[in-house]
Amino acid sequence: YAPGSTAKLVCFITTSRLSRTAMLANLIVSALAFSGPARAPSSRVVRSNAMMADDIIVTATSLQGPVIFWGSEGVLVGKEESDIKGYDNFGKFVAAVESAGLTATLKGAGPFTVFAPTDAAFADFGGVPAGMTLADVLKYHVVSGKMSTSDISGDLKTVQGNSLTYGRRFRKTFLDYAKVGIESEGASKGGNYPKDIECSNGMIHAIDCIMVPGAYVNLA
């Protein structure tokens, strides 16, 4: 042990730390000089709700319908009954709207509430009755104004002119014979039908059958 060695060691450590600090400060100054002058904060404000929903037609085109389970037929091909086979979407509804010349209407300002039948509903449909057009049938699925399922509590006048008959049975909402926004009762027992789907010009609720003006008979 040499006298004064401790003081020299402390001095060496302090000097080394100061040197490293000075070097770091020089690096920071150089980096700032290289990057140019500081920029002012951007005035652009991104809002969480800035992106609007699409219109009814665009929304329906991409809307995922109720899930289709394999069910008992899946066992024959090595599937579980509760395995998903696909989805019952709304391509046929969108195609029918286009065929009937109503696309521009449902892309317009609205607002409209649309009760959209799934592809399976169109597959089961017997066809447009005599004396009626496809446009008549589709307009019977459209109500003026924006209405959620919780707002439906009575008959609804459609843009076709006739009214849909409201009913509440088995804890489900009915319009004529159609069930609105069906909720699944469990795996392999059918999927949830989309409801209260916000659009820029209204709202969509899925239904399980096609409604025809004058076809409903109220037996209550």
Side-chain angles (χ1 to χ4, degrees):
Y1 173 80
S5 60
T6 301
K8 290 179 181 179
L9 179 60
V10 170
C11 180
F12 174 77
I13 293 173
T14 303
T15 302
S16 298
R17 287 178 177 173
L18 290 173
S19 297
R20 286 197 298 271
T21 301
M23 289 176 63
L24 180 60
N26 287 332
L27 287 173
I28 293 173
V29 170
S30 298
L32 288 173
F34 181 79
S35 64
R39 297 178 181 178
S42 171
S43 60
R44 181 172 177 266
V45 177
V46 179
R47 304 181 188 277
S48 61
N49 61 345
M51 185 173 291
M52 294 291 291
D54 288 318
D55 63 58
I56 288 168
I57 294 299
V58 173
T59 301
T61 300
S62 59
L63 183 60
Q64 182 174 286
V67 65
I68 301 171
F69 295 103
W70 273 98
S72 58
E73 68 179 42
V75 177
L76 301 176
V77 293
K79 303 287 186 180
E80 297 290 335
E81 290 189 8
S82 58
D83 284 348
I84 295 174
K85 184 178 183 180
Y87 296 88
D88 190 9
N89 295 329
F90 304 91
K92 292 182 179 180
F93 168 73
V94 174
V97 168
E98 183 175 354
S99 176
L102 298 175
T103 300
T105 300
L106 294 184
K107 289 179 75 69
F112 301 108
T113 298
V114 173
F115 300 97
T118 64
D119 289 345
F122 274 90
D124 293 338
F125 183 47
V128 177
M132 199 174 295
T133 66
L134 176 60
D136 292 330
V137 173
L138 293 173
K139 287 178 181 178
Y140 192 59
H141 294 72
V142 182
V143 174
S144 293
K146 188 174 182 179
M147 182 175 296
S148 69
T149 49
S150 62
D151 294 328
I152 302 173
S153 58
D155 295 354
L156 302 176
K157 183 163 185 169
T158 69
V159 298
Q160 180 269 339
N162 289 22
S163 293
L164 297 165
T165 302
Y166 167 81
R168 183 72 184 169
R169 301 184 291 277
F170 316 114
R171 295 185 295 179
K172 294 178 175 63
T173 296
F174 284 78
L175 290 173
D176 287 3
Y177 296 111
K179 294 187 283 290
V180 181
I182 302 169
E183 295 183 357
S184 174
E185 297 178 355
S188 76
K189 297 184 182 297
N192 291 313
Y193 281 56
K195 61 182 179 179
D196 300 324
I197 305 300
E198 291 275 356
C199 305
S200 61
N201 60 342
M203 189 165 280
I204 298 174
H205 310 295
I207 57 175
D208 64 339
C209 69
I210 294 178
M211 304 177 291
V212 176
Y216 178 72
V217 177
N218 191 348
L219 300 177

